Amino acid sequence: MSHFDKLFVYCTDQLCELHPSFSPVLYPLWAPRTLMMAQPEWTSIFQMKANILKQGDSWHLQFDESIVPNSPNLGWEEYIRNTGAWFDCSWCKRGWPSNKVMVVFHMRLVDRQGVVKVRRFRQNCKKCDKAPMETPSISTENIDILLENLVEKIRMKCYHEDLGRGNRPFISQDVKSPHEPAHCEACIQGICTRS
């Protein structure tokens, strides 16, 4: 079974995800985690939230691993946010939580066509030598929060609306150890916000 295959169980009347490599040694607390979502779900949630934007404008979301924080292309706006997420090592199957997962959005609106590019910064396993960078698994709730905040930023930056409110905070993971810059893609590139 690959690390992408998941086992799902019902626990306390909600669907929870359990990774097939879970063991009492690696994960002493069997706290339920939310069902993790893939790219198509990001797109569908974004489309639902983007419905509040100006009538007649069309918006779509795409993943782009080449976008760089603090360097949007000419005509693009930017929104950077940290969130909580879970990582699984594809080599040793160890998992770890992080509340320092940088997500960068670049957006623009031209001729009523809106585009949002998103990049989720990765981390790698501190136990495996030269482990690959792993994509974060972000909970349904945190994806919803990220995209709700994104749509507010679109309203402010692309439609010049004055909303007068701050970001909705993300749901934190239960993290037992400090952020490890040597294993964070954003830190390695010198762009991690660490806040």
PDB file of all heavy atoms in Angstrom, residues 55-71:
ATOM      1  N   GLN A  55     -20.428  39.597 -10.061  1.00  0.00           N
ATOM      2  CA  GLN A  55     -21.167  38.833 -11.062  1.00  0.00           C
ATOM      3  C   GLN A  55     -20.558  39.006 -12.452  1.00  0.00           C
ATOM      4  O   GLN A  55     -20.184  40.111 -12.824  1.00  0.00           O
ATOM      5  CB  GLN A  55     -22.627  39.293 -11.091  1.00  0.00           C
ATOM      6  CG  GLN A  55     -23.434  38.876  -9.887  1.00  0.00           C
ATOM      7  CD  GLN A  55     -23.720  37.383  -9.869  1.00  0.00           C
ATOM      8  OE1 GLN A  55     -23.637  36.690 -10.874  1.00  0.00           O
ATOM      9  NE2 GLN A  55     -24.045  36.867  -8.701  1.00  0.00           N
ATOM     10  N   GLY A  56     -20.445  37.939 -13.177  1.00  0.00           N
ATOM     11  CA  GLY A  56     -19.908  37.987 -14.537  1.00  0.00           C
ATOM     12  C   GLY A  56     -18.421  37.726 -14.611  1.00  0.00           C
ATOM     13  O   GLY A  56     -17.892  37.428 -15.671  1.00  0.00           O
ATOM     14  N   ASP A  57     -17.714  37.843 -13.468  1.00  0.00           N
ATOM     15  CA  ASP A  57     -16.287  37.528 -13.453  1.00  0.00           C
ATOM     16  C   ASP A  57     -16.113  36.032 -13.233  1.00  0.00           C
ATOM     17  O   ASP A  57     -16.872  35.405 -12.501  1.00  0.00           O
ATOM     18  CB  ASP A  57     -15.565  38.293 -12.351  1.00  0.00           C
ATOM     19  CG  ASP A  57     -15.447  39.775 -12.637  1.00  0.00           C
ATOM     20  OD1 ASP A  57     -15.825  40.197 -13.742  1.00  0.00           O
ATOM     21  OD2 ASP A  57     -14.975  40.513 -11.751  1.00  0.00           O
ATOM     22  N   SER A  58     -15.131  35.470 -13.882  1.00  0.00           N
ATOM     23  CA  SER A  58     -14.847  34.042 -13.778  1.00  0.00           C
ATOM     24  C   SER A  58     -13.501  33.865 -13.083  1.00  0.00           C
ATOM     25  O   SER A  58     -12.506  34.467 -13.498  1.00  0.00           O
ATOM     26  CB  SER A  58     -14.808  33.433 -15.180  1.00  0.00           C
ATOM     27  OG  SER A  58     -14.364  32.105 -15.127  1.00  0.00           O
ATOM     28  N   TRP A  59     -13.461  33.050 -12.045  1.00  0.00           N
ATOM     29  CA  TRP A  59     -12.230  32.809 -11.292  1.00  0.00           C
ATOM     30  C   TRP A  59     -11.896  31.322 -11.307  1.00  0.00           C
ATOM     31  O   TRP A  59     -12.786  30.484 -11.219  1.00  0.00           O
ATOM     32  CB  TRP A  59     -12.391  33.261  -9.840  1.00  0.00           C
ATOM     33  CG  TRP A  59     -12.289  34.744  -9.683  1.00  0.00           C
ATOM     34  CD1 TRP A  59     -13.310  35.650  -9.778  1.00  0.00           C
ATOM     35  CD2 TRP A  59     -11.105  35.487  -9.430  1.00  0.00           C
ATOM     36  NE1 TRP A  59     -12.825  36.912  -9.590  1.00  0.00           N
ATOM     37  CE2 TRP A  59     -11.473  36.852  -9.371  1.00  0.00           C
ATOM     38  CE3 TRP A  59      -9.763  35.147  -9.244  1.00  0.00           C
ATOM     39  CZ2 TRP A  59     -10.557  37.863  -9.135  1.00  0.00           C
ATOM     40  CZ3 TRP A  59      -8.848  36.151  -9.002  1.00  0.00           C
ATOM     41  CH2 TRP A  59      -9.236  37.490  -8.946  1.00  0.00           C
ATOM     42  N   HIS A  60     -10.598  31.004 -11.421  1.00  0.00           N
ATOM     43  CA  HIS A  60     -10.183  29.610 -11.253  1.00  0.00           C
ATOM     44  C   HIS A  60      -8.859  29.543 -10.499  1.00  0.00           C
ATOM     45  O   HIS A  60      -8.088  30.494 -10.469  1.00  0.00           O
ATOM     46  CB  HIS A  60     -10.151  28.852 -12.581  1.00  0.00           C
ATOM     47  CG  HIS A  60      -9.030  29.222 -13.484  1.00  0.00           C
ATOM     48  ND1 HIS A  60      -9.076  30.276 -14.357  1.00  0.00           N
ATOM     49  CD2 HIS A  60      -7.807  28.659 -13.649  1.00  0.00           C
ATOM     50  CE1 HIS A  60      -7.944  30.372 -15.019  1.00  0.00           C
ATOM     51  NE2 HIS A  60      -7.155  29.399 -14.607  1.00  0.00           N
ATOM     52  N   LEU A  61      -8.649  28.400  -9.869  1.00  0.00           N
ATOM     53  CA  LEU A  61      -7.503  28.140  -9.008  1.00  0.00           C
ATOM     54  C   LEU A  61      -6.616  27.105  -9.667  1.00  0.00           C
ATOM     55  O   LEU A  61      -7.113  26.114 -10.206  1.00  0.00           O
ATOM     56  CB  LEU A  61      -8.012  27.607  -7.664  1.00  0.00           C
ATOM     57  CG  LEU A  61      -6.988  27.317  -6.588  1.00  0.00           C
ATOM     58  CD1 LEU A  61      -6.725  28.584  -5.783  1.00  0.00           C
ATOM     59  CD2 LEU A  61      -7.520  26.240  -5.642  1.00  0.00           C
ATOM     60  N   GLN A  62      -5.303  27.338  -9.634  1.00  0.00           N
ATOM     61  CA  GLN A  62      -4.356  26.344 -10.163  1.00  0.00           C
ATOM     62  C   GLN A  62      -3.150  26.255  -9.246  1.00  0.00           C
ATOM     63  O   GLN A  62      -2.745  27.238  -8.642  1.00  0.00           O
ATOM     64  CB  GLN A  62      -3.946  26.687 -11.591  1.00  0.00           C
ATOM     65  CG  GLN A  62      -3.247  28.020 -11.747  1.00  0.00           C
ATOM     66  CD  GLN A  62      -3.061  28.419 -13.206  1.00  0.00           C
ATOM     67  OE1 GLN A  62      -3.973  28.292 -14.006  1.00  0.00           O
ATOM     68  NE2 GLN A  62      -1.883  28.904 -13.538  1.00  0.00           N
ATOM     69  N   PHE A  63      -2.593  25.068  -9.145  1.00  0.00           N
ATOM     70  CA  PHE A  63      -1.397  24.851  -8.336  1.00  0.00           C
ATOM     71  C   PHE A  63      -0.173  25.123  -9.197  1.00  0.00           C
ATOM     72  O   PHE A  63      -0.107  24.706 -10.344  1.00  0.00           O
ATOM     73  CB  PHE A  63      -1.380  23.426  -7.774  1.00  0.00           C
ATOM     74  CG  PHE A  63      -2.395  23.246  -6.690  1.00  0.00           C
ATOM     75  CD1 PHE A  63      -3.719  22.971  -6.991  1.00  0.00           C
ATOM     76  CD2 PHE A  63      -2.044  23.383  -5.369  1.00  0.00           C
ATOM     77  CE1 PHE A  63      -4.677  22.843  -5.998  1.00  0.00           C
ATOM     78  CE2 PHE A  63      -2.989  23.242  -4.364  1.00  0.00           C
ATOM     79  CZ  PHE A  63      -4.302  22.977  -4.674  1.00  0.00           C
ATOM     80  N   ASP A  64       0.802  25.851  -8.615  1.00  0.00           N
ATOM     81  CA  ASP A  64       1.994  26.242  -9.352  1.00  0.00           C
ATOM     82  C   ASP A  64       3.186  26.251  -8.397  1.00  0.00           C
ATOM     83  O   ASP A  64       3.310  27.140  -7.554  1.00  0.00           O
ATOM     84  CB  ASP A  64       1.790  27.623  -9.977  1.00  0.00           C
ATOM     85  CG  ASP A  64       2.945  28.065 -10.861  1.00  0.00           C
ATOM     86  OD1 ASP A  64       4.045  27.481 -10.769  1.00  0.00           O
ATOM     87  OD2 ASP A  64       2.748  29.025 -11.617  1.00  0.00           O
ATOM     88  N   GLU A  65       4.040  25.251  -8.528  1.00  0.00           N
ATOM     89  CA  GLU A  65       5.195  25.123  -7.632  1.00  0.00           C
ATOM     90  C   GLU A  65       6.317  26.114  -7.960  1.00  0.00           C
ATOM     91  O   GLU A  65       7.313  26.170  -7.266  1.00  0.00           O
ATOM     92  CB  GLU A  65       5.742  23.691  -7.670  1.00  0.00           C
ATOM     93  CG  GLU A  65       4.754  22.647  -7.171  1.00  0.00           C
ATOM     94  CD  GLU A  65       4.290  22.917  -5.739  1.00  0.00           C
ATOM     95  OE1 GLU A  65       5.121  23.180  -4.856  1.00  0.00           O
ATOM     96  OE2 GLU A  65       3.061  22.877  -5.510  1.00  0.00           O
ATOM     97  N   SER A  66       6.142  26.919  -9.008  1.00  0.00           N
ATOM     98  CA  SER A  66       7.212  27.849  -9.399  1.00  0.00           C
ATOM     99  C   SER A  66       7.015  29.259  -8.837  1.00  0.00           C
ATOM    100  O   SER A  66       7.914  30.085  -8.950  1.00  0.00           O
ATOM    101  CB  SER A  66       7.324  27.918 -10.927  1.00  0.00           C
ATOM    102  OG  SER A  66       6.187  28.558 -11.474  1.00  0.00           O
ATOM    103  N   ILE A  67       5.846  29.547  -8.242  1.00  0.00           N
ATOM    104  CA  ILE A  67       5.665  30.912  -7.737  1.00  0.00           C
ATOM    105  C   ILE A  67       6.557  31.148  -6.517  1.00  0.00           C
ATOM    106  O   ILE A  67       6.827  30.236  -5.736  1.00  0.00           O
ATOM    107  CB  ILE A  67       4.194  31.257  -7.446  1.00  0.00           C
ATOM    108  CG1 ILE A  67       3.599  30.395  -6.342  1.00  0.00           C
ATOM    109  CG2 ILE A  67       3.350  31.181  -8.695  1.00  0.00           C
ATOM    110  CD1 ILE A  67       2.184  30.811  -5.948  1.00  0.00           C
ATOM    111  N   VAL A  68       7.038  32.384  -6.399  1.00  0.00           N
ATOM    112  CA  VAL A  68       7.986  32.744  -5.347  1.00  0.00           C
ATOM    113  C   VAL A  68       7.348  33.809  -4.454  1.00  0.00           C
ATOM    114  O   VAL A  68       6.842  34.818  -4.955  1.00  0.00           O
ATOM    115  CB  VAL A  68       9.300  33.288  -5.961  1.00  0.00           C
ATOM    116  CG1 VAL A  68      10.277  33.717  -4.883  1.00  0.00           C
ATOM    117  CG2 VAL A  68       9.928  32.241  -6.868  1.00  0.00           C
ATOM    118  N   PRO A  69       7.385  33.599  -3.140  1.00  0.00           N
ATOM    119  CA  PRO A  69       6.841  34.608  -2.230  1.00  0.00           C
ATOM    120  C   PRO A  69       7.553  35.948  -2.391  1.00  0.00           C
ATOM    121  O   PRO A  69       8.753  36.001  -2.660  1.00  0.00           O
ATOM    122  CB  PRO A  69       7.118  34.031  -0.841  1.00  0.00           C
ATOM    123  CG  PRO A  69       7.287  32.579  -1.056  1.00  0.00           C
ATOM    124  CD  PRO A  69       7.875  32.425  -2.427  1.00  0.00           C
ATOM    125  N   ASN A  70       6.796  37.003  -2.221  1.00  0.00           N
ATOM    126  CA  ASN A  70       7.297  38.376  -2.288  1.00  0.00           C
ATOM    127  C   ASN A  70       7.816  38.763  -3.663  1.00  0.00           C
ATOM    128  O   ASN A  70       8.519  39.762  -3.796  1.00  0.00           O
ATOM    129  CB  ASN A  70       8.371  38.622  -1.225  1.00  0.00           C
ATOM    130  CG  ASN A  70       7.869  38.305   0.163  1.00  0.00           C
ATOM    131  OD1 ASN A  70       6.777  38.701   0.550  1.00  0.00           O
ATOM    132  ND2 ASN A  70       8.646  37.540   0.911  1.00  0.00           N
ATOM    133  N   SER A  71       7.487  37.984  -4.692  1.00  0.00           N
ATOM    134  CA  SER A  71       7.917  38.283  -6.059  1.00  0.00           C
ATOM    135  C   SER A  71       6.822  37.981  -7.078  1.00  0.00           C
ATOM    136  O   SER A  71       7.066  37.261  -8.059  1.00  0.00           O
ATOM    137  CB  SER A  71       9.170  37.463  -6.406  1.00  0.00           C
ATOM    138  OG  SER A  71      10.234  37.779  -5.552  1.00  0.00           O
TER     139      SER A  71
END
